[in-house]
Amino acid sequence: MISEQRVKLMTRLAAYESGEGKKNASIGSYFRGDYISLQLMKSIVSATIAFVLVAVLFVMYDSEAFMQGLYEIDLMEYAKQILFYYIGFVGLYSLISYVIYSFRYRKAKRRLKVYFNNLRRLQVLYQRERKDKTQ
């Protein structure tokens, strides 16, 4: 005999597994610190690439004025200013990434906990059915 409650639970579990369950399982396979560290490293690399691209575009946009002003400016002071902007940009980007990935990790762990609780409920339903058949 087919249990309606068991079928609903199995359908819900299958939908989760085929959808966001794959992503949550990959996130859940990491420890919190490891997952966030990995994502922060990726974010720092991305931020560095973005900063370099924006800097190159800025120089290319007004290259004539940049080249004329190059001989008049203090290069060490200009390099310090660029480094300051770089550190600020990467720091802000990393902070935002930390908050986002912490939230994603917590959310994935919470959903995995619900998934495993539903698996336990399904197991209990199967055990009850077996027990009822033997009696």
Side-chain angles (χ1 to χ4, degrees):
M1 182 156 124
I2 297 176
S3 168
E4 185 178 335
Q5 183 182 13
R6 194 177 63 197
V7 170
K8 285 180 182 179
L9 190 56
M10 288 171 59
T11 305
R12 193 175 320 135
L13 288 170
Y16 175 78
E17 287 173 357
S18 66
E20 75 182 74
K22 291 178 185 177
K23 185 174 75 170
N24 289 342
S26 67
I27 291 172
S29 66
Y30 291 100
F31 290 112
R32 182 180 182 274
D34 293 340
Y35 175 73
I36 293 173
S37 302
L38 177 65
Q39 299 306 322
L40 279 177
M41 283 188 245
K42 289 179 184 178
S43 295
I44 289 171
V45 169
S46 299
T48 301
I49 292 170
F51 185 83
V52 168
L53 287 175
V54 168
V56 167
L57 287 174
F58 178 74
V59 168
M60 290 178 68
Y61 173 73
D62 199 14
S63 60
E64 185 177 336
F66 178 76
M67 293 305 272
Q68 287 176 351
L70 190 63
Y71 297 109
E72 299 170 3
I73 61 173
D74 181 19
L75 290 178
M76 288 303 289
E77 190 62 36
Y78 192 68
K80 286 179 187 177
Q81 188 178 13
I82 289 175
L83 184 63
F84 176 75
Y85 287 137
Y86 170 74
I87 291 172
F89 178 74
V90 170
L92 180 64
Y93 197 87
S94 297
L95 179 66
I96 292 169
S97 295
Y98 178 82
V99 170
I100 288 171
Y101 290 115
S102 294
F103 177 74
R104 283 185 186 173
Y105 185 82
R106 202 171 345 153
K107 189 171 142 184
K109 281 299 222 184
R110 198 174 316 125
R111 288 183 177 164
L112 282 171
K113 188 175 183 180
V114 169
Y115 171 72
F116 288 123
N117 285 338
N118 284 337
L119 281 177
R120 279 190 216 103
R121 283 180 37 205
L122 183 63
Q123 183 180 14
V124 167
L125 289 174
Y126 271 116
Q127 288 174 348
R128 277 190 200 153
E129 187 176 314
R130 277 191 224 127
K131 192 175 188 179
D132 290 342
K133 284 184 180 180
T134 58
Q135 290 179 357

mmCIF file of all heavy atoms in Angstrom, residues 23 26-48 90 93-106:
data_model
loop_
_atom_site.group_PDB
_atom_site.id
_atom_site.type_symbol
_atom_site.label_atom_id
_atom_site.label_comp_id
_atom_site.label_asym_id
_atom_site.label_seq_id
_atom_site.Cartn_x
_atom_site.Cartn_y
_atom_site.Cartn_z
ATOM 1 N N LYS A 23 23.885 22.410 -5.014
ATOM 2 C CA LYS A 23 24.703 23.549 -4.599
ATOM 3 C C LYS A 23 24.913 23.541 -3.087
ATOM 4 O O LYS A 23 26.023 23.750 -2.608
ATOM 5 C CB LYS A 23 24.031 24.853 -5.037
ATOM 6 C CG LYS A 23 24.851 26.093 -4.757
ATOM 7 C CD LYS A 23 24.210 27.333 -5.348
ATOM 8 C CE LYS A 23 23.033 27.734 -4.516
ATOM 9 N NZ LYS A 23 22.484 29.048 -4.870
ATOM 10 N N SER A 26 27.435 20.904 -2.043
ATOM 11 C CA SER A 26 28.834 21.279 -2.280
ATOM 12 C C SER A 26 29.296 22.305 -1.259
ATOM 13 O O SER A 26 30.448 22.261 -0.806
ATOM 14 C CB SER A 26 29.014 21.809 -3.702
ATOM 15 O OG SER A 26 28.347 23.032 -3.867
ATOM 16 N N ILE A 27 28.432 23.214 -0.870
ATOM 17 C CA ILE A 27 28.785 24.193 0.167
ATOM 18 C C ILE A 27 28.933 23.485 1.507
ATOM 19 O O ILE A 27 29.858 23.757 2.268
ATOM 20 C CB ILE A 27 27.721 25.310 0.256
ATOM 21 C CG1 ILE A 27 27.760 26.187 -0.993
ATOM 22 C CG2 ILE A 27 27.930 26.163 1.502
ATOM 23 C CD1 ILE A 27 26.638 27.193 -1.082
ATOM 24 N N GLY A 28 28.021 22.576 1.803
ATOM 25 C CA GLY A 28 28.029 21.877 3.084
ATOM 26 C C GLY A 28 29.196 20.927 3.255
ATOM 27 O O GLY A 28 29.480 20.481 4.370
ATOM 28 N N SER A 29 29.882 20.596 2.170
ATOM 29 C CA SER A 29 31.022 19.688 2.284
ATOM 30 C C SER A 29 32.258 20.384 2.867
ATOM 31 O O SER A 29 33.231 19.722 3.192
ATOM 32 C CB SER A 29 31.355 19.086 0.919
ATOM 33 O OG SER A 29 31.819 20.084 0.042
ATOM 34 N N TYR A 30 32.220 21.699 2.982
ATOM 35 C CA TYR A 30 33.329 22.466 3.549
ATOM 36 C C TYR A 30 33.049 22.821 5.005
ATOM 37 O O TYR A 30 31.891 22.930 5.412
ATOM 38 C CB TYR A 30 33.513 23.792 2.799
ATOM 39 C CG TYR A 30 34.029 23.666 1.395
ATOM 40 C CD1 TYR A 30 33.156 23.740 0.313
ATOM 41 C CD2 TYR A 30 35.375 23.505 1.142
ATOM 42 C CE1 TYR A 30 33.620 23.647 -0.982
ATOM 43 C CE2 TYR A 30 35.849 23.407 -0.154
ATOM 44 C CZ TYR A 30 34.971 23.485 -1.208
ATOM 45 O OH TYR A 30 35.437 23.393 -2.483
ATOM 46 N N PHE A 31 34.108 23.034 5.759
ATOM 47 C CA PHE A 31 33.961 23.681 7.051
ATOM 48 C C PHE A 31 33.705 25.151 6.774
ATOM 49 O O PHE A 31 34.090 25.681 5.724
ATOM 50 C CB PHE A 31 35.225 23.529 7.902
ATOM 51 C CG PHE A 31 35.445 22.132 8.391
ATOM 52 C CD1 PHE A 31 36.507 21.389 7.910
ATOM 53 C CD2 PHE A 31 34.598 21.565 9.318
ATOM 54 C CE1 PHE A 31 36.732 20.095 8.351
ATOM 55 C CE2 PHE A 31 34.803 20.274 9.768
ATOM 56 C CZ PHE A 31 35.875 19.536 9.283
ATOM 57 N N ARG A 32 33.091 25.843 7.713
ATOM 58 C CA ARG A 32 32.716 27.240 7.506
ATOM 59 C C ARG A 32 33.920 28.101 7.135
ATOM 60 O O ARG A 32 33.896 28.843 6.165
ATOM 61 C CB ARG A 32 32.045 27.788 8.770
ATOM 62 C CG ARG A 32 31.585 29.213 8.637
ATOM 63 C CD ARG A 32 30.928 29.689 9.941
ATOM 64 N NE ARG A 32 30.450 31.038 9.803
ATOM 65 C CZ ARG A 32 31.181 32.114 10.001
ATOM 66 N NH1 ARG A 32 32.452 31.989 10.363
ATOM 67 N NH2 ARG A 32 30.682 33.318 9.849
ATOM 68 N N GLY A 33 34.984 27.994 7.899
ATOM 69 C CA GLY A 33 36.174 28.804 7.655
ATOM 70 C C GLY A 33 36.825 28.506 6.317
ATOM 71 O O GLY A 33 37.298 29.414 5.620
ATOM 72 N N ASP A 34 36.834 27.228 5.948
ATOM 73 C CA ASP A 34 37.436 26.838 4.671
ATOM 74 C C ASP A 34 36.635 27.391 3.495
ATOM 75 O O ASP A 34 37.197 27.910 2.528
ATOM 76 C CB ASP A 34 37.525 25.328 4.549
ATOM 77 C CG ASP A 34 38.498 24.711 5.542
ATOM 78 O OD1 ASP A 34 39.361 25.451 6.051
ATOM 79 O OD2 ASP A 34 38.389 23.502 5.795
ATOM 80 N N TYR A 35 35.315 27.272 3.589
ATOM 81 C CA TYR A 35 34.459 27.767 2.503
ATOM 82 C C TYR A 35 34.598 29.280 2.341
ATOM 83 O O TYR A 35 34.792 29.780 1.221
ATOM 84 C CB TYR A 35 32.995 27.403 2.782
ATOM 85 C CG TYR A 35 32.035 27.988 1.777
ATOM 86 C CD1 TYR A 35 31.955 27.479 0.488
ATOM 87 C CD2 TYR A 35 31.222 29.064 2.109
ATOM 88 C CE1 TYR A 35 31.096 28.011 -0.440
ATOM 89 C CE2 TYR A 35 30.351 29.605 1.187
ATOM 90 C CZ TYR A 35 30.290 29.083 -0.080
ATOM 91 O OH TYR A 35 29.440 29.628 -1.005
ATOM 92 N N ILE A 36 34.531 29.996 3.452
ATOM 93 C CA ILE A 36 34.613 31.455 3.372
ATOM 94 C C ILE A 36 35.998 31.889 2.915
ATOM 95 O O ILE A 36 36.130 32.816 2.103
ATOM 96 C CB ILE A 36 34.217 32.087 4.727
ATOM 97 C CG1 ILE A 36 32.726 31.828 4.991
ATOM 98 C CG2 ILE A 36 34.503 33.574 4.741
ATOM 99 C CD1 ILE A 36 32.245 32.238 6.347
ATOM 100 N N SER A 37 37.050 31.223 3.373
ATOM 101 C CA SER A 37 38.411 31.571 2.940
ATOM 102 C C SER A 37 38.583 31.375 1.441
ATOM 103 O O SER A 37 39.161 32.231 0.760
ATOM 104 C CB SER A 37 39.444 30.712 3.661
ATOM 105 O OG SER A 37 39.345 30.844 5.036
ATOM 106 N N LEU A 38 38.102 30.254 0.936
ATOM 107 C CA LEU A 38 38.206 29.984 -0.494
ATOM 108 C C LEU A 38 37.470 31.050 -1.305
ATOM 109 O O LEU A 38 38.004 31.568 -2.295
ATOM 110 C CB LEU A 38 37.650 28.596 -0.811
ATOM 111 C CG LEU A 38 37.622 28.205 -2.285
ATOM 112 C CD1 LEU A 38 39.044 28.094 -2.836
ATOM 113 C CD2 LEU A 38 36.876 26.898 -2.459
ATOM 114 N N GLN A 39 36.275 31.382 -0.875
ATOM 115 C CA GLN A 39 35.496 32.385 -1.594
ATOM 116 C C GLN A 39 36.130 33.772 -1.485
ATOM 117 O O GLN A 39 36.080 34.551 -2.448
ATOM 118 C CB GLN A 39 34.053 32.405 -1.081
ATOM 119 C CG GLN A 39 33.310 31.102 -1.262
ATOM 120 C CD GLN A 39 33.319 30.589 -2.677
ATOM 121 O OE1 GLN A 39 33.236 31.341 -3.634
ATOM 122 N NE2 GLN A 39 33.443 29.274 -2.829
ATOM 123 N N LEU A 40 36.729 34.075 -0.344
ATOM 124 C CA LEU A 40 37.416 35.365 -0.199
ATOM 125 C C LEU A 40 38.634 35.452 -1.109
ATOM 126 O O LEU A 40 38.899 36.511 -1.694
ATOM 127 C CB LEU A 40 37.829 35.607 1.249
ATOM 128 C CG LEU A 40 36.744 36.121 2.175
ATOM 129 C CD1 LEU A 40 37.268 36.251 3.596
ATOM 130 C CD2 LEU A 40 36.201 37.445 1.702
ATOM 131 N N MET A 41 39.364 34.358 -1.236
ATOM 132 C CA MET A 41 40.508 34.360 -2.154
ATOM 133 C C MET A 41 40.050 34.610 -3.582
ATOM 134 O O MET A 41 40.665 35.396 -4.314
ATOM 135 C CB MET A 41 41.273 33.043 -2.053
ATOM 136 C CG MET A 41 42.150 32.941 -0.836
ATOM 137 S SD MET A 41 43.160 31.473 -0.941
ATOM 138 C CE MET A 41 42.512 30.554 0.433
ATOM 139 N N LYS A 42 38.972 33.954 -3.980
ATOM 140 C CA LYS A 42 38.425 34.181 -5.313
ATOM 141 C C LYS A 42 37.989 35.637 -5.476
ATOM 142 O O LYS A 42 38.191 36.243 -6.529
ATOM 143 C CB LYS A 42 37.229 33.265 -5.569
ATOM 144 C CG LYS A 42 37.563 31.809 -5.737
ATOM 145 C CD LYS A 42 36.282 31.024 -5.961
ATOM 146 C CE LYS A 42 36.489 29.548 -6.041
ATOM 147 N NZ LYS A 42 35.208 28.824 -6.209
ATOM 148 N N SER A 43 37.398 36.190 -4.436
ATOM 149 C CA SER A 43 36.932 37.576 -4.487
ATOM 150 C C SER A 43 38.094 38.555 -4.592
ATOM 151 O O SER A 43 38.005 39.549 -5.320
ATOM 152 C CB SER A 43 36.105 37.908 -3.243
ATOM 153 O OG SER A 43 34.933 37.145 -3.221
ATOM 154 N N ILE A 44 39.166 38.284 -3.881
ATOM 155 C CA ILE A 44 40.333 39.177 -3.940
ATOM 156 C C ILE A 44 40.944 39.149 -5.333
ATOM 157 O O ILE A 44 41.307 40.205 -5.880
ATOM 158 C CB ILE A 44 41.353 38.794 -2.850
ATOM 159 C CG1 ILE A 44 40.799 39.164 -1.473
ATOM 160 C CG2 ILE A 44 42.696 39.473 -3.089
ATOM 161 C CD1 ILE A 44 41.607 38.654 -0.314
ATOM 162 N N VAL A 45 41.031 37.972 -5.932
ATOM 163 C CA VAL A 45 41.556 37.881 -7.298
ATOM 164 C C VAL A 45 40.639 38.629 -8.260
ATOM 165 O O VAL A 45 41.104 39.389 -9.118
ATOM 166 C CB VAL A 45 41.723 36.397 -7.718
ATOM 167 C CG1 VAL A 45 42.012 36.274 -9.200
ATOM 168 C CG2 VAL A 45 42.822 35.741 -6.905
ATOM 169 N N SER A 46 39.337 38.447 -8.110
ATOM 170 C CA SER A 46 38.375 39.141 -8.975
ATOM 171 C C SER A 46 38.451 40.651 -8.798
ATOM 172 O O SER A 46 38.392 41.403 -9.766
ATOM 173 C CB SER A 46 36.951 38.674 -8.678
ATOM 174 O OG SER A 46 36.810 37.313 -8.911
ATOM 175 N N ALA A 47 38.569 41.090 -7.553
ATOM 176 C CA ALA A 47 38.659 42.524 -7.275
ATOM 177 C C ALA A 47 39.938 43.109 -7.869
ATOM 178 O O ALA A 47 39.928 44.228 -8.401
ATOM 179 C CB ALA A 47 38.603 42.774 -5.773
ATOM 180 N N THR A 48 41.032 42.365 -7.790
ATOM 181 C CA THR A 48 42.294 42.838 -8.357
ATOM 182 C C THR A 48 42.185 42.985 -9.870
ATOM 183 O O THR A 48 42.606 43.998 -10.446
ATOM 184 C CB THR A 48 43.442 41.882 -7.989
ATOM 185 O OG1 THR A 48 43.545 41.815 -6.572
ATOM 186 C CG2 THR A 48 44.755 42.341 -8.587
ATOM 187 N N VAL A 90 39.715 46.688 -2.586
ATOM 188 C CA VAL A 90 39.779 45.259 -2.275
ATOM 189 C C VAL A 90 39.243 44.993 -0.862
ATOM 190 O O VAL A 90 38.552 43.992 -0.630
ATOM 191 C CB VAL A 90 41.213 44.716 -2.450
ATOM 192 C CG1 VAL A 90 41.347 43.316 -1.905
ATOM 193 C CG2 VAL A 90 41.603 44.740 -3.916
ATOM 194 N N TYR A 93 35.424 45.257 -1.046
ATOM 195 C CA TYR A 93 34.933 44.106 -1.811
ATOM 196 C C TYR A 93 35.019 42.828 -0.974
ATOM 197 O O TYR A 93 34.100 42.008 -0.974
ATOM 198 C CB TYR A 93 35.746 43.969 -3.097
ATOM 199 C CG TYR A 93 35.125 43.101 -4.146
ATOM 200 C CD1 TYR A 93 34.234 43.614 -5.066
ATOM 201 C CD2 TYR A 93 35.447 41.749 -4.233
ATOM 202 C CE1 TYR A 93 33.666 42.824 -6.050
ATOM 203 C CE2 TYR A 93 34.889 40.943 -5.205
ATOM 204 C CZ TYR A 93 33.997 41.489 -6.109
ATOM 205 O OH TYR A 93 33.444 40.684 -7.078
ATOM 206 N N SER A 94 36.110 42.671 -0.236
ATOM 207 C CA SER A 94 36.289 41.490 0.609
ATOM 208 C C SER A 94 35.291 41.473 1.758
ATOM 209 O O SER A 94 34.759 40.414 2.118
ATOM 210 C CB SER A 94 37.706 41.432 1.160
ATOM 211 O OG SER A 94 38.626 41.295 0.118
ATOM 212 N N LEU A 95 35.040 42.628 2.343
ATOM 213 C CA LEU A 95 34.073 42.712 3.432
ATOM 214 C C LEU A 95 32.678 42.326 2.950
ATOM 215 O O LEU A 95 31.983 41.531 3.605
ATOM 216 C CB LEU A 95 34.056 44.122 4.029
ATOM 217 C CG LEU A 95 33.067 44.359 5.161
ATOM 218 C CD1 LEU A 95 33.466 43.536 6.381
ATOM 219 C CD2 LEU A 95 33.000 45.830 5.491
ATOM 220 N N ILE A 96 32.297 42.857 1.802
ATOM 221 C CA ILE A 96 30.989 42.518 1.237
ATOM 222 C C ILE A 96 30.932 41.021 0.898
ATOM 223 O O ILE A 96 29.936 40.345 1.184
ATOM 224 C CB ILE A 96 30.695 43.383 -0.002
ATOM 225 C CG1 ILE A 96 30.494 44.844 0.427
ATOM 226 C CG2 ILE A 96 29.480 42.882 -0.760
ATOM 227 C CD1 ILE A 96 30.466 45.832 -0.714
ATOM 228 N N SER A 97 32.010 40.495 0.338
ATOM 229 C CA SER A 97 32.067 39.066 0.012
ATOM 230 C C SER A 97 31.962 38.216 1.263
ATOM 231 O O SER A 97 31.276 37.186 1.276
ATOM 232 C CB SER A 97 33.364 38.733 -0.719
ATOM 233 O OG SER A 97 33.415 39.371 -1.954
ATOM 234 N N TYR A 98 32.633 38.615 2.331
ATOM 235 C CA TYR A 98 32.577 37.870 3.585
ATOM 236 C C TYR A 98 31.142 37.780 4.096
ATOM 237 O O TYR A 98 30.673 36.703 4.489
ATOM 238 C CB TYR A 98 33.477 38.516 4.637
ATOM 239 C CG TYR A 98 33.422 37.820 5.967
ATOM 240 C CD1 TYR A 98 34.176 36.678 6.196
ATOM 241 C CD2 TYR A 98 32.599 38.284 6.987
ATOM 242 C CE1 TYR A 98 34.112 36.011 7.407
ATOM 243 C CE2 TYR A 98 32.533 37.628 8.200
ATOM 244 C CZ TYR A 98 33.291 36.491 8.407
ATOM 245 O OH TYR A 98 33.210 35.850 9.609
ATOM 246 N N VAL A 99 30.451 38.898 4.080
ATOM 247 C CA VAL A 99 29.071 38.917 4.568
ATOM 248 C C VAL A 99 28.188 38.027 3.694
ATOM 249 O O VAL A 99 27.404 37.210 4.203
ATOM 250 C CB VAL A 99 28.526 40.371 4.605
ATOM 251 C CG1 VAL A 99 27.039 40.398 4.858
ATOM 252 C CG2 VAL A 99 29.266 41.177 5.653
ATOM 253 N N ILE A 100 28.324 38.150 2.386
ATOM 254 C CA ILE A 100 27.492 37.370 1.463
ATOM 255 C C ILE A 100 27.762 35.875 1.608
ATOM 256 O O ILE A 100 26.823 35.073 1.714
ATOM 257 C CB ILE A 100 27.723 37.828 0.008
ATOM 258 C CG1 ILE A 100 27.101 39.199 -0.206
ATOM 259 C CG2 ILE A 100 27.155 36.817 -0.987
ATOM 260 C CD1 ILE A 100 27.452 39.841 -1.525
ATOM 261 N N TYR A 101 29.033 35.478 1.639
ATOM 262 C CA TYR A 101 29.344 34.044 1.700
ATOM 263 C C TYR A 101 29.066 33.457 3.074
ATOM 264 O O TYR A 101 28.743 32.271 3.181
ATOM 265 C CB TYR A 101 30.773 33.777 1.230
ATOM 266 C CG TYR A 101 30.909 33.998 -0.257
ATOM 267 C CD1 TYR A 101 31.708 34.996 -0.768
ATOM 268 C CD2 TYR A 101 30.203 33.210 -1.153
ATOM 269 C CE1 TYR A 101 31.814 35.206 -2.137
ATOM 270 C CE2 TYR A 101 30.293 33.411 -2.517
ATOM 271 C CZ TYR A 101 31.096 34.406 -2.999
ATOM 272 O OH TYR A 101 31.186 34.608 -4.352
ATOM 273 N N SER A 102 29.157 34.248 4.120
ATOM 274 C CA SER A 102 28.747 33.762 5.445
ATOM 275 C C SER A 102 27.257 33.475 5.459
ATOM 276 O O SER A 102 26.804 32.450 5.986
ATOM 277 C CB SER A 102 29.072 34.798 6.525
ATOM 278 O OG SER A 102 30.438 34.960 6.661
ATOM 279 N N PHE A 103 26.498 34.393 4.869
ATOM 280 C CA PHE A 103 25.054 34.207 4.790
ATOM 281 C C PHE A 103 24.701 32.977 3.961
ATOM 282 O O PHE A 103 23.861 32.168 4.354
ATOM 283 C CB PHE A 103 24.407 35.468 4.200
ATOM 284 C CG PHE A 103 22.933 35.358 4.012
ATOM 285 C CD1 PHE A 103 22.069 35.412 5.092
ATOM 286 C CD2 PHE A 103 22.396 35.184 2.744
ATOM 287 C CE1 PHE A 103 20.698 35.307 4.923
ATOM 288 C CE2 PHE A 103 21.034 35.071 2.557
ATOM 289 C CZ PHE A 103 20.183 35.135 3.653
ATOM 290 N N ARG A 104 25.364 32.808 2.804
ATOM 291 C CA ARG A 104 25.097 31.648 1.951
ATOM 292 C C ARG A 104 25.437 30.344 2.657
ATOM 293 O O ARG A 104 24.707 29.354 2.544
ATOM 294 C CB ARG A 104 25.901 31.734 0.661
ATOM 295 C CG ARG A 104 25.340 32.701 -0.331
ATOM 296 C CD ARG A 104 26.106 32.643 -1.622
ATOM 297 N NE ARG A 104 25.648 33.676 -2.532
ATOM 298 C CZ ARG A 104 26.213 33.953 -3.678
ATOM 299 N NH1 ARG A 104 27.274 33.267 -4.078
ATOM 300 N NH2 ARG A 104 25.747 34.908 -4.438
ATOM 301 N N TYR A 105 26.543 30.322 3.400
ATOM 302 C CA TYR A 105 26.936 29.103 4.102
ATOM 303 C C TYR A 105 25.904 28.758 5.178
ATOM 304 O O TYR A 105 25.476 27.606 5.283
ATOM 305 C CB TYR A 105 28.315 29.283 4.738
ATOM 306 C CG TYR A 105 28.831 28.024 5.375
ATOM 307 C CD1 TYR A 105 29.438 27.049 4.616
ATOM 308 C CD2 TYR A 105 28.685 27.802 6.745
ATOM 309 C CE1 TYR A 105 29.896 25.874 5.192
ATOM 310 C CE2 TYR A 105 29.134 26.642 7.328
ATOM 311 C CZ TYR A 105 29.743 25.690 6.544
ATOM 312 O OH TYR A 105 30.184 24.534 7.127
ATOM 313 N N ARG A 106 25.511 29.755 5.947
ATOM 314 C CA ARG A 106 24.525 29.527 7.008
ATOM 315 C C ARG A 106 23.203 29.034 6.426
ATOM 316 O O ARG A 106 22.581 28.105 6.950
ATOM 317 C CB ARG A 106 24.320 30.821 7.778
ATOM 318 C CG ARG A 106 23.785 30.661 9.151
ATOM 319 C CD ARG A 106 23.825 31.951 9.912
ATOM 320 N NE ARG A 106 24.701 32.886 9.208
ATOM 321 C CZ ARG A 106 24.603 34.206 9.251
ATOM 322 N NH1 ARG A 106 23.710 34.769 9.972
ATOM 323 N NH2 ARG A 106 25.414 34.991 8.585
#
